[in-house]
Amino acid sequence: MQYLPMQLLCSVLTGTDVLGNPVTELQAETTRYKGRFTPWTAAEVELEGRAVTQNQRRLITNAPLSACRSASGVCVCGENYRILSVEELRRWRLLRVERWR
């Protein structure tokens, strides 16, 4: 089993624009965690639909639950993914992610 280095991405308020709207920027946390992508089962593909499973991935990680819930994204191998949902699996967290394009 190969685990990849990953970093959680958080939205940080960097200022406001001319109209007074908040401007945020994604910044990677300094702490690195381990994670790996997990495959979809045939039953999940049948339940969710092929379009969903083509665009989304599942990532299992050892990052703390509170850090996963507060993050808006994750960077794995130089690619950024948006976190759609977080589930706790005792020692691990299961993140459902979608790649930013």
Side-chain angles (χ1 to χ4, degrees), residues 17-31:
D17 63 4
V18 179
L19 299 175
N21 298 320
V23 176
T24 59
E25 184 178 299
L26 282 178
Q27 291 185 350
E29 289 185 357
T30 56
T31 309

Side-chain angles (χ1 to χ4, degrees), residues 40 48 51-58 84 96-99:
W40 294 98
E48 300 286 342
V52 171
T53 58
Q54 285 178 337
N55 297 325
Q56 296 178 8
R57 297 182 84 177
R58 296 184 320 164
L84 301 175
R96 198 172 205 160
V97 297
E98 182 175 49
R99 192 167 72 147

Side-chain angles (χ1 to χ4, degrees), residues 4 6 10 16 19 22 24 29 32-35 37 39 42-43 48-49 61-62 77 79-80 84 90 92:
L4 306 169
M6 57 168 269
C10 296
T16 57
L19 299 175
T24 59
E29 289 185 357
R32 291 183 180 261
Y33 301 104
K34 293 180 182 177
F37 291 106
E48 300 286 342
T61 180
N62 65 343
C77 295
E79 289 191 28
N80 292 340
L84 301 175
R90 296 189 189 210
W92 301 95

